Amino acid sequence: MGTLWFVLLAFLIAAYVVTDGYDLGAGALHFALGRTPAERGRITAAIGPVWNGNETWVVAAGATLFLAFPKAYAGAFSGLYFGLIIVLWLLIGRGLALELRHQIDHPLWHQACDAVFCVASAVLAFVLGVALGNVVRGVPLGRDGYFQLTLFHILNWYSLLVGLTAAVVTCAQGSTFLAARTGGELGARARLWSQRLVPAQVVALVILIIPTYHVRHNMLNVFGDHPWTVVFPLAALAAIAAAVVAQVRGSWLRAFVANSVAVSAVLATLAAGIYPWILPAHQGRPFGLDVHNAAAGHHALAIAAVWWPIGIALALGYFSYTYRLLFRGPPA
Amino acid sequence: VSSNVLVDRLQFTLTVTFHYLFPLLTMGLALLMAYLKTVSHLGRDDHRIRPLRKTAGEREAYEAAARFWAKIFAVNFAVGVVTGIPLEFQFGTNWAKFSNYAGGVIGQALALEGVFAFLFESIFLGLFLLGVGRVSPRVHWLSSLAMFVGSWLSGFFIIAANAWMQHPVGYGGNGRAVHLVSFWHFITNPWLPWQYAHNMSGAAMTGAFVMAAMGAWYALNGRHPEFSRVCLTVGVTAALIFSALQIFPTGDQQAANAYKYQPPAFAAMEGAFRTEKGAPLVFIGNPNTETRRLESSLAMPKLLSFMTSRHFTGKVTGLDDIPPNRWPNSVPLVYYAYHIMVGLGTLLVALAVVAAFLLWRGRLLANRLVLWLLMLAFPFVYIANIAGWVTAEAGRQPWIVFGLLRTVDAASPARSVPAGTGIFTLLGFAGLYLMVAVVFLLLIVRIVARGPDDPEHRVAEHGEAPGEPGPEPAHPAPVAA
């Protein structure tokens, strides 16, 4: 049962990274791609209808972690206190900048909102990467299931590296999305950036392999224990190859979808490597939280296994429906 | 109270109170906007159902009103969403021991909210706000209904979590953590239906009084007469319905639940220091916890006993029969919050009755005094709603989960989140929310000043007009439908 919820949680996190990832990336590249106020207006117009729906995946993921692994939720959120509160402030600033930008038609208001949107998006992508890095690296859990990490300990070298990689990956996603959804000079610029960033993201991910092995040796064991999991990294490679081919052919929507698949496959690889841990301790240390000792009671997980898939199926259904409606027609 | 717990409490009080100001209006307006859209979409000149019997001109006015309220709704909803996410996070960041203890049970409600309602609501809001011109009128109407259902479903799951904290049922477990034993009992918690009904009626009342206030404002200014009439008609009618429901049966039953399941909270609410047969109902009075007496009180003899037991001589348990370590931390806070809520609620019903009578007689627009009162009443609806929540939350103290887990044992361990860290983030939230409040008020004032006829400021504009092709040639690979 715990394993099932591990998979469902990994799915939600991947859904969040794939959907909100591209609008975070678009935000981080806001000024690099949108050189004029009008172009920046078109970037926010392109993601305006969807960012909120995208962001709800993180709420669903957080709530599902709370539901299925309350002990891990309590330990991780209190231990990473500073990082998460900063995430909250950034989410507030970014959401308001996006939603309220078009409310006042004044150049200074637009500039202020653009700046908040850009900085918050870039820092968010980075900080979320840092949080992921800390989970992969493991945290100094005590016997009681709690730990303490000061701000500078949260920003350790490995997590900083993951944060930078996360920023590059979301920027690659964002530029590819805008390449598919915008035209004119803005679209041309987005295509140029996408052509650079998709390979750059591959380089960043490859560089990350050795440090990841360094902080968590047993990560590769999963491929020996369960050889079928090799499909995840292979799928990531195939999807990135497909993304590059699509870029060369000029099918930017395909490139965007392929890159999204690649990002999901990378996350799946990571999840397979971490399993069965939800919140691991440092390498070789005790008291890590896994799918058994952090899971909620059996009845809770069994009941939720009934309604949860229904809810997510509905969500996916109307997600794709609204996407189709809003994305119908030529790009902005 | 060790200081890190105090800081955590202050921070949650700030973030939850500030947040709730927004969904309160969102949920109320969602109902009324769904009504406006329904009248505009389904109304016919000869419709069998009376409220739907509208001429083309009236339907047009309802549609225009829905469009205008959508602008207010959009700003309000945005602030509600961004201030809501911190609440879910803070269960983990600041209340880790609570999450650890109760997550196995209330995780159900919060995840149900996150998975069903929140996704539903956010996506349909996108469709509703940006879909003008992109979707058919029918889909647009349906998305307004979906927004209503989504926001009220969200409210339901949140109240389900709170109801369990007020009156835990369907759980089992040891002193360290509880787990769910029966989902059925959890979702059929006797506390839940009345708390939900009372809360949602309060939200609907807020939407109604805000709508009526807007109508009164334009009526007093002599601007936008058609829009003003729609707002006053719908707002005053809804205000009458929901302010009546707020007192009876929902408020009455909610108090009955407190009497039955939370005697300390009920005694504090009523200022009942002593157990009495034939207890009086207190209208005003100052509770003094030093002397354990209610000073300067004005009360109706025997009425409280009648209301709780339907007998004038029924016994009401007072605080003297309850060990002080089970009293709410602040008896006066619970007492005043409750009396402010009830007092304002009573005055608001009276105003709604007068306004509805004048509306029925067709004399409301001529009565400037009542229009003034309607215009100024809406902040007090917010105060009454918040006071109600303070009653519920402060009344439950010293428990975070009534009878099971004390608030002092529920915060994150001080070594993970020391008081200093908490103070920094508390100040950060206070500053950020002050700024958000200023921006929010600025935007709302702008929308109201421009009025419903403002042609260039459409909700649907995120940069360019929807449905129109972009200024540049289409890209070689457009998104396929």
Side-chain angles (χ1 to χ4, degrees), chain B residues 387-462:
Chain B
W389 270 106
V390 172
T391 311
E393 296 299 287
R396 190 190 60 227
Q397 303 300 326
W399 307 98
I400 193 164
V401 181
F402 190 78
L404 292 182
L405 183 68
R406 283 176 182 266
T407 308
V408 287
D409 301 323
S412 297
R415 92 184 138 88
S416 299
V417 186
T421 307
I423 285 172
F424 174 73
T425 56
L426 167 63
L427 294 174
F429 272 112
L432 187 59
Y433 282 2
L434 182 66
M435 206 176 74
V436 171
V438 170
V439 171
F440 173 79
L441 290 174
L442 177 80
L443 291 173
I444 295 293
V445 167
R446 257 176 71 93
I447 293 172
V448 175
R450 292 186 166 204
D453 292 342
D454 182 22
E456 52 116 353
H457 189 85
R458 293 243 318 272
V459 178
E461 278 166 355
H462 255 289

Side-chain angles (χ1 to χ4, degrees), chain A residues 42-131:
Chain A
R42 283 162 55 204
I43 294 177
T44 53
I47 64 171
V50 289
W51 76 271
N52 194 356
N54 294 345
E55 205 173 283
T56 56
W57 290 107
V58 79
V59 176
T64 301
L65 177 63
F66 189 30
L67 160 85
F69 305 106
K71 206 169 166 157
Y73 180 86
F77 278 39
S78 60
L80 298 169
Y81 188 83
F82 252 122
L84 287 170
I85 298 288
I86 288 171
V87 165
L88 291 176
W89 292 347
L90 293 169
L91 285 176
I92 292 173
R94 178 175 184 270
L96 291 179
L98 263 175
E99 282 301 296
L100 306 181
R101 182 187 193 274
H102 65 112
Q103 291 278 348
I104 298 177
D105 204 14
H106 190 283
L108 290 183
W109 176 253
H110 286 178
Q111 278 170 22
C113 287
D114 284 340
V116 171
F117 171 53
C118 176
V119 172
S121 299
V123 180
L124 259 175
F126 174 72
V127 173
L128 289 170
V130 168

Side-chain angles (χ1 to χ4, degrees), chain B residues 22-39 65-66 69-70 72-74 76-77 121 124-125 128-129 140-155 196 200 203-208 210-211 234 238 242:
Chain B
F22 301 94
L24 182 60
L25 184 63
T26 294
M27 295 186 295
L29 274 186
L31 171 70
L32 298 178
M33 279 165 56
Y35 177 73
L36 292 174
K37 280 298 290 185
T38 304
V39 170
W69 282 105
I72 305 250
F73 187 89
N76 191 68
F77 184 85
E121 196 180 349
F124 275 102
L125 179 73
F128 183 76
L129 293 181
H140 199 243
W141 168 60
L142 288 174
S143 63
S144 80
L145 295 187
M147 248 164 47
F148 159 63
V149 173
S151 63
W152 280 51
L153 209 56
S154 262
Y196 181 63
M200 299 321 282
M205 199 176 146
T206 309
V210 167
M211 192 173 274
V234 176
F242 291 105

Side-chain angles (χ1 to χ4, degrees), chain B residues 47-70:
Chain B
H47 204 288
R48 276 183 25 239
I49 303 167
R50 183 78 209 285
L52 294 179
R53 202 179 301 153
K54 299 281 185 225
T55 64
E58 286 171 324
R59 294 201 297 273
E60 190 65 31
Y62 272 70
E63 178 66 28
R67 294 268 167 98
F68 176 78
W69 282 105

Side-chain angles (χ1 to χ4, degrees), chain A residues 88-179:
Chain A
L88 291 176
W89 292 347
L90 293 169
L91 285 176
I92 292 173
R94 178 175 184 270
L96 291 179
L98 263 175
E99 282 301 296
L100 306 181
R101 182 187 193 274
H102 65 112
Q103 291 278 348
I104 298 177
D105 204 14
H106 190 283
L108 290 183
W109 176 253
H110 286 178
Q111 278 170 22
C113 287
D114 284 340
V116 171
F117 171 53
C118 176
V119 172
S121 299
V123 180
L124 259 175
F126 174 72
V127 173
L128 289 170
V130 168
L132 179 67
N134 274 294
V135 172
V136 173
R137 179 171 175 263
V139 291
L141 280 158
R143 189 182 293 278
D144 58 358
Y146 296 105
F147 66 93
Q148 169 198 15
L149 274 183
T150 61
L151 186 58
F152 285 175
H153 284 109
I154 292 177
L155 301 173
N156 53 74
W157 66 270
Y158 174 72
S159 303
L160 288 175
L161 216 52
V162 180
L164 286 175
T165 307
V168 176
V169 170
T170 51
C171 286
Q173 278 281 85
S175 57
T176 315
F177 171 77
L178 289 176

Side-chain angles (χ1 to χ4, degrees), chain A residues 12 39 41-42 44-46 48-53 55-64 66-68 70-82 84-85 87-96 98-105 109 140-149 179-187 191 250-253 296-301 303-304 307-308 310-312 314-316 318-319 321-332, chain B residues 8 11 71 74-75 77-79 81-83 85-100 102-127 129-131 134-135 139 176 179-184 411-413 415-418 421-422 424-429 432-433 436 439-440 442-443 446-447 450 456-464 468-481:
Chain A
L12 279 186
E39 285 181 344
R42 283 162 55 204
T44 53
V50 289
W51 76 271
N52 194 356
E55 205 173 283
T56 56
W57 290 107
V58 79
V59 176
T64 301
F66 189 30
L67 160 85
K71 206 169 166 157
Y73 180 86
F77 278 39
S78 60
L80 298 169
Y81 188 83
F82 252 122
L84 287 170
I85 298 288
V87 165
L88 291 176
W89 292 347
L90 293 169
L91 285 176
I92 292 173
R94 178 175 184 270
L96 291 179
L98 263 175
E99 282 301 296
L100 306 181
R101 182 187 193 274
H102 65 112
Q103 291 278 348
I104 298 177
D105 204 14
W109 176 253
L141 280 158
R143 189 182 293 278
D144 58 358
Y146 296 105
F147 66 93
Q148 169 198 15
L149 274 183
R181 285 302 302 162
T182 56
E185 278 179 50
L186 170 61
R191 290 192 282 282
S251 347
W252 293 95
L253 182 68
H298 183 77
H299 182 66
L301 295 186
I303 282 282
W307 60 253
W308 193 96
I310 300 172
I312 292 297
L314 277 174
L316 285 173
Y318 42 70
F319 211 72
Y321 171 71
T322 45
Y323 258 65
R324 272 207 359 234
L325 276 178
L326 293 167
F327 280 43
R328 193 181 286 166
Chain B
D8 290 329
Q11 179 168 309
K71 292 182 204 175
V75 176
F77 184 85
V79 180
V81 168
V82 297
T83 56
I85 295 175
L87 299 179
E88 182 195 311
F89 273 61
Q90 282 179 103
F91 285 132
T93 53
N94 296 70
W95 299 97
K97 287 193 200 160
F98 166 72
S99 296
N100 213 333
V105 179
I106 71 164
Q108 295 284 330
L110 294 180
L112 274 162
E113 198 251 353
V115 169
F116 273 96
F118 199 52
L119 285 165
F120 199 37
E121 196 180 349
S122 304
I123 295 163
F124 275 102
L125 179 73
L127 198 58
L129 293 181
L130 291 124
R134 290 194 200 194
V135 297
V139 170
R176 279 179 294 125
H179 59 262
L180 191 66
V181 171
S182 165
F183 182 76
W184 175 248
S412 297
R415 92 184 138 88
S416 299
V417 186
T421 307
F424 174 73
T425 56
L426 167 63
L427 294 174
F429 272 112
L432 187 59
Y433 282 2
V436 171
V439 171
F440 173 79
L442 177 80
L443 291 173
R446 257 176 71 93
I447 293 172
R450 292 186 166 204
E456 52 116 353
H457 189 85
R458 293 243 318 272
V459 178
E461 278 166 355
H462 255 289
E464 63 168 318
E468 289 168 23
E472 284 121 357
H475 188 264
V479 177

